[in-house]
Amino acid sequence: MSITSCNISRSLAVIIGIKQYGKGIEPLQTAVNDAQAMARILQDNHRYDKVWLLSDEKATLKSLYHLLEKTLVEAVQPDDRLLFYFAGHGIALNG
């Protein structure tokens, strides 16, 4: 098997940071700061063409669905690279 290089047209990223959850879930100390730092690093150091940053009240289920089902579908092209970064709680559901 040979490894071939691919031509990447653009670098895009979705960065999500959630520290406030409510409903008795403890807030996180660094999730939003981590997400903001990641967005800055990708833009400033790695010259990402577009970074969508959603944090706390902007990271609603409705806004995430819109981003995934509309914005990214329209924006991402076949030769683009897309990085997805999430900083927040993870909850395992049975079933």
Side-chain angles (χ1 to χ4, degrees):
M1 178 186 345
S2 65
I3 298 175
T4 59
S5 63
C6 61
N7 294 324
I8 297 172
S9 296
R10 298 179 306 155
S11 295
L12 314 169
V14 172
I15 310 294
I16 300 168
I18 303 173
K19 67 178 179 179
Q20 298 293 342
Y21 284 86
K23 297 183 182 180
I25 299 173
E26 289 293 318
L28 296 171
Q29 298 300 313
T30 64
V32 171
N33 290 342
D34 290 350
Q36 291 169 341
M38 177 64 79
R40 277 192 309 276
I41 289 167
L42 292 175
Q43 290 172 318
D44 297 345
N45 299 0
H46 299 285
R47 297 184 177 177
Y48 265 59
D49 299 289
K50 177 69 178 167
V51 175
W52 291 272
L53 174 63
L54 299 173
S55 58
D56 279 339
E57 64 277 348
K58 292 183 180 176
T60 64
L61 185 58
K62 182 178 179 179
S63 65
L64 291 171
Y65 273 136
H66 185 270
L67 179 70
L68 294 170
E69 294 177 341
K70 180 149 178 61
T71 305
L72 292 179
V73 170
E74 294 173 359
V76 178
Q77 300 298 311
D79 291 335
D80 290 344
R81 166 185 19 212
L82 178 64
L83 179 137
F84 191 95
Y85 177 88
F86 174 78
H89 278 299
I91 299 173
L93 300 176
N94 187 7

